[in-house]
């Protein structure tokens, strides 16, 4: 017959059943991880966009390709995806160019393959953990809902012992249970928003990389044709 | 360089994620605490019945202040005329006795003044009395109001519990078949403090003996009957006059 008057957040959680508490703890951990990934992605994508813009500026300002290759090879670990694509393509091109007896078409083919390999390796790195955000966004509301349903089940089961049922007997239990849904939504909403935002950003980056690859292979073809 | 920057990014994003959650939890705790305070404000509303005596307490000191102020105001004018009168008295005794009339006149004036003063004082006393009486009347009114409120609360509780008792009994009545219309059966029930039924007397039959018996059985079955937790209210429940109809 005890009716909890104090509905503060801490008492709500401490009165909840073990399973609801477990669900809450799980959702808290998941939400922490998702926010960690969100912030990390914010930083990496921002850095990637900056580096891409800087390299495109360098490239189209008419710098010598050899000099660009030297600087890209020296700053290997510090370079962005676009610089790496350029480096891989130019290295392949230069290697095959030294060997005589290979026609320009096959040189261009292998250059493109090298660039594509570098592109895919790097875009994969940028995209990593994004699927994690998508999973959190779609699953955590259900996990929260599970906790809520379980809590409400318990609240109604406790009601069966009481002869005169009032809303005051069920209300605290339902409030406890609903905290789980709130937690699930708190984990899911930012994850979904971030996932959509990041996938849009990464798509834009990928198109800019692909168009750069096309343009760069055109440049190389022109060079090999002129030589 | 890049690796170091990445490590820093990881740490920074971890810290930021943690900060977001601390904010979230703090928001939850505080926002829900505000909600839990709302019942307190509802309890405060229960005090609405009491402010009237407070006003009376505020009124009381006012007449006392008047009493303290007024006597000084009366005393002050008294010595001034007496000095004026004494001085001419001495002068008259030293110089001439012919101005005896003047003295008499002065005496008369003095008497008149004193009479006026006493009259004024009487008036003031009367006023004070009136004020005191008014204050007392107010107090009485407040007391009567409180009593009435208490009575009203009592009758409210009584009617609430009587309906509860009737409801509990009605739920246990097994209606016999073939009752035409909605006849009323009246019972006098004597209760014990625990809610047990001491005696049940049929006051007015419904015309259907089966229904009367069913109600009587239900009254015994409904023991203990619900009574208010305050034992001082029991006397009003000792003897109950209950009316029952098959359909309500």
């Amino acid at each position: 017959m005890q009716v909890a008057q104090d509905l503060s957040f801490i008492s709500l959680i401490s009165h909840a059943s073990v399973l609801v508490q477990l669900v809450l703890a799980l959702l808290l951990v998941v939400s922490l991880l998702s926010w960690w990934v969100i912030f990390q992605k914010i930083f990496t994508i921002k850095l990637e966009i900056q580096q891409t813009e800087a390299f495109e500026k360098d490239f189209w300002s008419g710098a010598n390709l050899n000099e660009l290759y030297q600087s890209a090879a020296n700053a290997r670990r510090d370079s962005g995806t676009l610089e790496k694509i350029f480096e891989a393509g130019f290295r392949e091109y230069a290697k095959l160019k030294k060997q005589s007896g290979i026609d320009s078409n096959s040189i261009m083919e292998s250059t493109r393959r090298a660039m594509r390999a570098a592109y895919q390796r790097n875009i994969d790195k940028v995209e990593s953990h994004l699927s994690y955000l998508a999973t959190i966004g779609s699953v955590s509301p259900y996990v929260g809902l599970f906790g809520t349903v379980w809590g409400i089940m318990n609240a109604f089961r406790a009601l069966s012992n009481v002869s005169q049922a009032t809303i005051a007997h069920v209300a605290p239990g339902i409030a406890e249970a609903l905290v789980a849904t709130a937690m699930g939504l708190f984990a899911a909403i930012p994850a979904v928003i971030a996932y959509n935002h990041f996938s849009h950003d990464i798509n834009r980056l990928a198109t800019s990389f692909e168009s750069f690859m096309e343009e760069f292979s055109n440049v190389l073809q022109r060079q090999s044709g002129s030589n | 360089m890049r690796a170091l920057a990445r490590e820093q990014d990881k740490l920074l994003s971890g810290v930021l994620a943690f900060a977001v959650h601390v904010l979230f939890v703090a928001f939850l705790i505080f926002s829900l605490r505000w909600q839990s305070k709302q019942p307190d404000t509802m309890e405060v509303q229960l005090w609405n019945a009491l402010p009237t005596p407070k006003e009376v307490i505020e009124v009381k000191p006012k007449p006392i202040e008047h009493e303290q102020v007024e006597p000084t105001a009366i005393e002050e004018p008294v010595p001034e005329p007496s000095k004026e009168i004494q001085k001419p008295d001495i002068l008259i005794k030293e110089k001439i006795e012919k101005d005896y009339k003047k003295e008499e006149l002065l005496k008369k004036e003095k008497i008149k003044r004193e009479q006026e003063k006493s009259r004024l004082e009487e008036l003031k006393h009367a006023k004070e009395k009136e004020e005191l009486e008014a204050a007392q009347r107010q107090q009485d009114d407040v007391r009567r109001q409180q009593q009435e409120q208490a009575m009203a609360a009592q009758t409210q509780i009584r009617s609430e519990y009587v309906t509860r008792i009737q409801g509990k009994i009605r739920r246990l009545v097994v209606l016999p078949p073939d009752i035409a219309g909605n006849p009323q059966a009246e019972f006098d029930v004597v209760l014990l403090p625990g809610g047990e039924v001491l005696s049940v007397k049929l006051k007015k039959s419904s015309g259907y003996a089966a229904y009367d018996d069913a109600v009587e059985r239900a009254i015994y079955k409904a023991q203990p009957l619900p009574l208010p937790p305050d034992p001082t209210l029991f006397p009003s429940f000792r003897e109950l006059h209950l009316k029952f109809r098959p359909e309500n």
Side-chain angles (χ1 to χ4, degrees):
Chain A
M1 283 296 283
Q2 273 189 352
V3 177
Q5 292 282 323
D6 183 23
L7 281 182
S8 78
F9 184 64
I10 293 162
S11 72
L12 272 185
I13 288 179
S14 59
H15 282 134
S17 65
V18 178
L19 193 102
V20 174
Q21 283 174 345
L22 274 179
V23 165
L24 281 176
L26 177 78
L27 286 173
L28 192 72
V29 170
V30 161
S31 164
L32 260 172
L33 282 175
S34 89
W35 276 92
W36 186 55
V37 171
I38 287 169
F39 281 116
Q40 233 175 307
K41 284 285 150 227
I42 286 174
F43 293 136
T44 47
I45 287 175
K46 203 174 149 198
L47 187 72
E48 202 64 56
I49 288 171
Q50 276 176 357
Q51 283 172 336
T52 305
E53 276 173 2
F55 184 76
E56 276 194 323
K57 216 177 175 186
D58 280 353
F59 185 81
W60 295 113
S61 65
N64 193 330
L65 288 183
N66 278 318
E67 277 172 25
L68 273 177
Y69 174 69
Q70 282 303 323
S71 72
N74 285 340
R76 215 173 210 180
R77 303 210 59 166
D78 207 15
S79 56
T81 305
L82 203 59
E83 212 163 349
K84 276 181 182 156
I85 290 168
F86 166 77
E87 188 199 327
F90 195 77
R91 197 196 302 123
E92 194 66 25
Y93 176 76
K95 260 189 212 163
L96 292 175
K97 193 79 182 162
K98 274 178 202 161
Q99 296 170 10
S100 53
I102 304 169
D103 69 300
S104 65
N105 263 344
S106 61
I107 290 178
M108 282 326 295
E109 273 300 308
S110 47
T111 308
R112 260 189 201 183
R113 275 200 295 272
M115 285 201 290
R116 188 146 285 277
Y119 158 77
Q120 260 158 5
R121 209 175 299 131
N122 277 289
I123 210 83
D124 185 59
K125 244 182 230 168
V126 176
E127 263 181 349
S128 66
H129 299 309
L130 257 196
S131 66
Y132 179 74
L133 283 184
T135 311
I136 289 174
S138 54
V139 167
S140 63
Y142 295 117
V143 176
L145 206 63
F146 170 65
T148 297
V149 167
W150 191 265
I152 290 178
M153 267 160 62
N154 276 344
F156 278 116
R157 217 176 49 193
L159 201 67
S160 65
N161 302 327
V162 187
S163 57
Q164 275 193 323
T166 56
I167 193 83
H169 289 111
V170 219
I174 290 174
E176 271 162 34
L178 286 175
V179 173
T181 303
M183 198 64 219
L185 291 179
F186 174 74
I189 291 167
V192 171
I193 291 173
Y195 175 76
N196 285 335
H197 184 74
F198 291 150
S199 58
H200 173 71
D201 276 0
I202 288 169
N203 261 341
R204 276 182 57 200
L205 274 176
T207 29
S208 75
F209 294 158
E210 269 171 24
S211 50
F212 173 78
M213 269 154 57
E214 298 299 316
E215 283 163 345
F216 184 51
S217 44
N218 272 348
V219 170
L220 287 180
Q221 198 153 24
R222 235 181 287 138
Q223 246 188 11
S224 65
S226 67
N227 283 352
Chain B
M1 279 288 283
R2 174 120 191 210
L4 210 140
R6 281 216 156 169
E7 284 297 309
Q8 275 182 342
D9 278 358
K10 273 185 185 174
L11 197 75
L12 185 62
S13 45
V15 169
L16 282 172
F18 191 71
V20 166
H21 285 80
V22 166
L23 276 177
F24 174 63
V25 168
F27 170 75
L28 272 185
I29 287 172
F30 286 110
S31 64
L32 283 170
R33 234 182 227 168
W34 292 331
Q35 283 180 346
S36 71
K37 270 183 186 175
Q38 277 176 346
D40 290 353
T41 54
M42 279 168 70
E43 278 172 31
V44 169
Q45 282 183 339
L46 290 174
W47 292 85
N48 276 350
L50 285 176
T52 34
K54 272 183 194 168
E55 279 170 31
V56 175
I57 292 159
E58 281 173 356
V59 172
K60 260 188 177 177
K62 276 178 188 172
I64 295 161
E65 278 173 49
H66 280 298
E67 279 175 314
Q68 283 173 338
V69 175
E70 279 164 14
T72 52
I74 297 157
E75 277 170 29
E76 274 174 21
V78 175
E80 280 172 18
S82 65
K83 276 176 194 170
E84 279 172 25
I85 296 156
Q86 274 173 356
K87 275 177 188 173
D89 271 4
I90 296 155
L91 285 170
I92 291 157
K93 277 176 186 174
E94 281 177 354
K95 286 176 183 176
I96 320 157
E97 290 177 346
K98 276 181 185 177
D99 290 14
Y100 200 74
K101 283 176 186 174
K102 262 190 184 176
E103 216 178 310
E104 275 182 13
L105 276 170
L106 281 169
K107 271 183 184 174
K108 275 179 186 173
E109 273 179 40
K110 209 181 174 182
I111 290 157
K112 268 187 188 174
R113 275 183 200 170
E114 275 172 8
Q115 276 177 341
E116 273 176 35
K117 262 178 229 157
S118 63
R119 217 183 296 151
L120 279 170
E121 272 174 26
E122 271 173 29
L123 276 171
K124 268 167 198 166
H125 276 300
K127 267 187 190 174
E128 280 166 24
K129 264 188 190 175
E130 270 175 34
E131 277 173 17
L132 274 172
E133 276 171 16
Q136 268 189 335
R137 238 175 283 143
Q138 267 190 332
Q139 268 186 314
D140 288 346
D141 281 347
V142 168
R143 252 179 241 156
R144 221 174 296 144
Q145 273 184 353
Q146 279 177 334
Q147 276 179 346
E148 277 168 19
Q149 277 174 355
M151 287 285 285
Q154 264 196 8
T155 51
Q156 208 184 331
I157 289 169
R158 196 185 128 81
S159 64
E160 188 190 325
Y161 273 90
V162 166
T163 49
R164 265 200 216 183
I165 289 167
Q166 274 189 318
K168 195 175 179 185
I169 293 166
R170 189 165 293 127
R171 252 179 279 140
L172 295 168
V173 172
V174 181
L175 275 178
D178 313 326
I179 294 179
N182 204 10
Q184 184 172 277
E186 289 177 26
F187 286 90
D188 269 346
V189 181
V190 181
L191 291 184
L192 291 173
E196 282 84 20
V197 177
L198 189 64
S199 72
V200 179
K201 236 184 250 172
L202 182 63
K203 262 276 154 164
K204 201 184 147 200
S205 171
S206 62
Y208 293 88
Y211 180 64
D212 298 343
D213 289 346
V215 173
E216 199 176 327
R217 259 178 274 128
I219 291 170
Y220 281 114
K221 219 190 275 176
Q223 296 182 73
L225 294 169
L227 288 176
D230 187 358
T232 57
L233 295 174
F234 176 71
S236 60
F237 286 93
R238 192 178 295 281
E239 284 169 23
L240 292 172
H241 185 73
L242 301 174
K243 295 170 186 173
F244 294 96
R245 281 172 186 278
E247 284 163 42
N248 215 14

